[in-house]
Amino acid sequence: MPRSFLTDAMWAKLEPLIPPERGGMGRSRHPNRPMVEAILWRHRTGAPWRDLPEEFGPWTSVYTRFEAWTKRGVWQRILEFLRKEADLEWVMLDGTIIRAHQHSAGKKGGGLWNQALGRSRGGCSTKIHLICDAHGNPLDFLVTPGQAHESRSAEGLLCGWQAEYVFGDRAYDGNPVRKAIEAMGATAVIPPHPRRKNPAAWDSHLYKARHAIEHGFAKLKQFRALATRFDKTARSFSAQVALACIVIWLRL
């Protein structure tokens, strides 16, 4: 049996948040914990679903469970519950490029843009836009084609959050982003772009704390199914990002 991924303590947090197993005559032949273990094994290794070890049972059952919960928004709801413990004194914004494997392209009936895939000299890629708390723990995210600018996703990520400070690099030094931060009642800690005529003041000493979000991305990319995109659809890849965020919170 492959090494276990979920500890008993992690499962105790997760079990109440996932759909209950059916009881009576309709009880599932595959209990939730082995199914979640199998999903996370694939998430950690990046292996094709068909290559799941036999000890996990039929790969079709695991994939069907993953897809069903993805369509029902289960992963996002779990993340929304777990992030209630976030430290919101500061929030931080950033984006990172994820190279897409050749198998991720070719979804029937949908263009690359519709599936959050973009083309550049480096080939197909996706960008993860992340907002995290003061400790680098993920709060929310968006996936876009790789060439999408970070500032275009900032307002959507900031919507609904309250914080004292909002950190970002020069990519977020735009008037719409700064206005969104002001609407939160927060202070922007964003270095001005060199070409800005009237640069805004910023706290360069406090800005050093922005490394926390870089650590957050490093944690996310420990999962091989996320470090390289293999999923054809934006929905499935978003579920992989949500899974990584969930595991980070479960480990705390």
Side-chain angles (χ1 to χ4, degrees):
M1 184 69 179
R3 58 193 172 98
S4 177
F5 189 85
L6 286 173
T7 64
D8 290 341
M10 293 168 68
W11 179 245
K13 293 181 183 179
L14 184 60
E15 185 177 18
L17 305 177
I18 59 178
E21 298 173 11
R22 295 193 301 270
M25 296 298 291
R27 186 175 179 83
S28 172
R29 293 193 301 116
H30 306 291
N32 277 337
R33 183 164 182 174
M35 289 288 101
V36 175
E37 288 278 10
I39 290 169
L40 291 177
W41 183 90
R42 186 265 174 179
H43 185 51
R44 185 177 69 246
T45 63
W49 289 103
R50 293 174 183 269
D51 291 341
L52 278 171
E54 294 181 358
E55 290 84 353
F56 286 128
W59 73 268
T60 51
S61 298
V62 178
Y63 176 74
T64 299
R65 187 78 58 95
F66 169 77
E67 274 291 287
W69 288 359
T70 297
K71 290 177 181 178
R72 292 168 60 182
V74 170
W75 310 117
Q76 188 63 31
R77 289 198 297 273
I78 294 173
L79 175 58
E80 290 172 2
F81 180 85
L82 294 175
R83 72 189 185 191
K84 291 179 181 179
E85 301 178 7
D87 181 350
L88 298 178
E89 179 184 4
W90 305 339
V91 297
M92 305 180 186
L93 297 166
D94 206 356
T96 188
I97 290 287
I98 302 295
R99 293 298 177 189
H101 193 272
Q102 60 185 353
H103 292 166
S104 66
K107 168 65 178 175
K108 294 182 180 179
L112 292 179
W113 186 272
N114 293 333
Q115 301 304 332
L117 284 167
R119 286 194 181 278
S120 64
R121 283 187 175 182
C124 286
S125 63
T126 293
K127 183 173 285 186
I128 300 174
H129 305 265
L130 184 70
I131 181 171
C132 72
D133 72 358
H135 301 289
N137 299 317
L139 299 173
D140 204 358
F141 64 89
L142 291 171
V143 297
T144 66
Q147 71 271 22
H149 197 273
E150 283 92 334
S151 62
R152 296 184 180 181
S153 300
E155 294 176 71
L157 287 173
L158 290 172
C159 184
W161 293 103
Q162 297 294 325
E164 293 184 32
Y165 297 94
V166 176
F167 291 68
D169 59 21
R170 285 187 173 89
Y172 297 97
D173 182 32
N175 291 333
V177 178
R178 289 188 177 275
K179 288 179 180 178
I181 294 172
E182 289 178 8
M184 295 169 57
T187 300
V189 185
I190 300 173
H193 194 278
R195 292 197 296 270
R196 181 177 273 273
K197 291 183 179 179
N198 299 306
W202 63 293
D203 190 328
S204 60
H205 178 74
L206 191 59
Y207 182 74
K208 294 178 181 178
R210 200 190 70 85
H211 68 82
I213 194 168
E214 302 295 350
H215 293 174
F217 277 126
K219 292 177 184 178
L220 290 178
K221 291 186 178 183
Q222 294 299 313
F223 303 92
R224 291 175 180 266
L226 191 153
T228 300
R229 175 173 168 173
F230 299 103
D231 297 275
K232 289 183 179 293
T233 66
R235 183 186 65 203
S236 291
F237 183 70
S238 293
Q240 300 293 346
V241 181
L243 271 169
C245 294
I246 288 168
V247 172
I248 290 172
W249 281 107
L250 290 175
R251 286 174 173 172
L252 297 179

